[in-house]
Amino acid sequence: MIKMKLFPVVAILSALILTACATKPDSDTAEKEAPLITKEEKKSEPKKEKDPPNIQFAKELQALLEKGDTKGAIDHFAKIPKSLEGDLDLKMILGALYYSDSQFDNAISVANKVLEIDSKNMDALELISMANYAKGDKTSYSQIANKILKQDPYNPAINIQKAQDYVLNKKYKLARQSYAKALKGDPENEDAMFGYAQTSYYTDELKTSKVYFQKLIDKNPQNSAALAYMGKLAYNDENYLKAISYVEEALKYDPENYDYWMDYGTYLRYLGKFDDAAKAWEHAATIEPDYFLAYAYLAGNYDDLEKFDLALKNYHKVIETNPNYYYAYESAAILEYHQKNYAEAIKLFNTAYNYRASDPKLNHLNWAYALMIAACYYKMDNPQGAKKVIAAQLKKMDYNSNEYAMVRFFGDTYSRNAESQLTQKINKESDSNIKGKMLFYMGLYCEIIKANELAKEYYGKVTNMQAPMFFEYRIAEWGLKE
C-alpha cells in the first residue's frame, strides 16, 4: 500500500514546482510586451537564471522517482532547502521511500514527526501500521490499525492488510468481507478489487468474481493476473478454448509465470492436445526446476499416454524435488514393476511402505505393498527374500483378518484347499476396494506359480469391477494383455 502512495508523488512535486513558479510572468505575454531587441543587444543579454533551490530540489527528486531510484531519492533529502523542511507532503514522501527500501524504523520515525504536527494525519498512521506489520511487530500494528479503523472503518489500506492476513490463514469469507470494506472506502482501488474478485473465486461466488476481474481488465487490458483468473473461470465453465485464449493473453504480459504455464497445459490437455500440454508443463519446469508440480503433471500425462519411460523420468523428478510426496513412489514403483525393473520397484515400494507406516490412516493397507515387494522377489527367483518380507508383515496383522489370510497364502506352498477357503472369504468381503485388491493378489499369486490362465481369470474379475480405485487395477489390465 505504501509503495502505491509513491505514484501520486509526481503530481505533488509538479504542484510544488508550479506554485513556486507562479510569480514568474507568462512567457507568451512577456514575449508580446517585450520591446524589439537588436542582435547586438541579444549578445549582451544575461544568461537564464537558475531555478530557486526549492524548485531545483523538487525537479531533481521528481527525476529520481521517475527513474525508480529509491536510494538516490532518499539521499537527495539531505539537500532539502530550509523552505521545504516543514512540508508534510514531502515528509510523507520520504517516509514512503524508507518503507519501500525496507527501512521500517526510519519510516516510522518520519511518520511520527508528521503526527507531531498533524495528529490526525491518516497517511502517517497508515505508514506506521504498515511498517510495524512489515517488521513483524504485530502488536503495534494491531494497535495502530484499530485506531485507524475506529476513525475510518472503510480504510482501504488497513482492510486490505486484514484481508491478506485472512487469506494466508485460508479464511476466505472473512477476507472477502474485508476486501468489500476496502472497496467501499475506495471503489477504484485495484488491490481491493483484485482481492475481492479472487476471494469471490475461492468462495464459489463465481459471477461476482467474473464481474470484478473484468473490471480490472477494462481498467488495464494488460493485467495478467486478472486475465489468468478469467481463464480459470472459463475452465470452470468447461469452455476450454476461451480459457486458453485468456491464459495465452496473460502469458503475453507475464511470459515466465509458472502458474500460467501450468494452467495452460491443463486447458490444452482437456482439449485432448496432450503433446502441447506436455510442452507447456515442460516450460513451467524450466521456470521452477526445483518445484515438483510440473513433473507430477508430466508424469501423469505420459503415464496416460503409455509413454512409460518419460513417465518414469518425471516421477523420479517428483521424488527428487519433493521426497515427501509418497504417491510418486507408488506410481514409479508400479511402472518399474511393469518394465520388469524389479530391484528398483522393491526400493520404491519399500519407501512407499514406510511412508504409509507413519500414517495411521494408511497403515492398514501396507499389506498390499508387502505383497508387491514379495512378488518382485519371486520374479527375481529369490523366494527367500519374498518369504522374509511376508513373515515380517504377518507379525503386524490381525490373525483373524482376510488380509492376514491373503498374505499367509502368498508365503505358503500352494494348496487347492487353502485357495478355496480364501476365495470364499474374498467373496464375502463387503468393501469393494479390498475385494478388488484381494482378487488381484489371487491372480498375481497364480501368475507367480505359472498358472497363467487362472491368473487371467482373476485379473478379469478385477477389471470387470470397473472401479479403478486401487493401484493394482492397472497391473491387472497389463496382466490380461500379456
Side-chain angles (χ1 to χ4, degrees), residues 1 126 130 141 154-162 182 189:
M1 183 284 304
E126 286 180 19
M130 294 298 105
Y141 161 74
Y154 302 109
N155 181 281
I158 302 304
N159 277 299
I160 288 170
Q161 185 60 66
K162 283 185 70 176
N189 187 300

Side-chain angles (χ1 to χ4, degrees), residues 20 68 90 94 98 111 147 185 208 303 317 430 473:
L90 284 173
L94 177 58
Y98 278 134
K147 183 177 179 180
T208 301
D303 206 342
K317 286 296 291 183
S430 58
Y473 184 94

Side-chain angles (χ1 to χ4, degrees), residues 266-286:
T266 299
Y267 307 155
L268 289 165
R269 188 177 185 277
Y270 270 88
L271 277 181
K273 298 184 177 182
F274 300 107
D275 290 336
D276 289 338
K279 288 177 184 176
W281 292 325
E282 282 168 357
H283 187 80
T286 66

Side-chain angles (χ1 to χ4, degrees), residues 331-349:
S331 298
I334 293 165
L335 290 186
E336 294 288 10
Y337 176 87
H338 178 60
Q339 303 288 72
K340 303 188 185 325
N341 299 327
Y342 299 122
E344 187 62 31
I346 287 171
K347 291 178 188 176
L348 292 163
F349 276 126

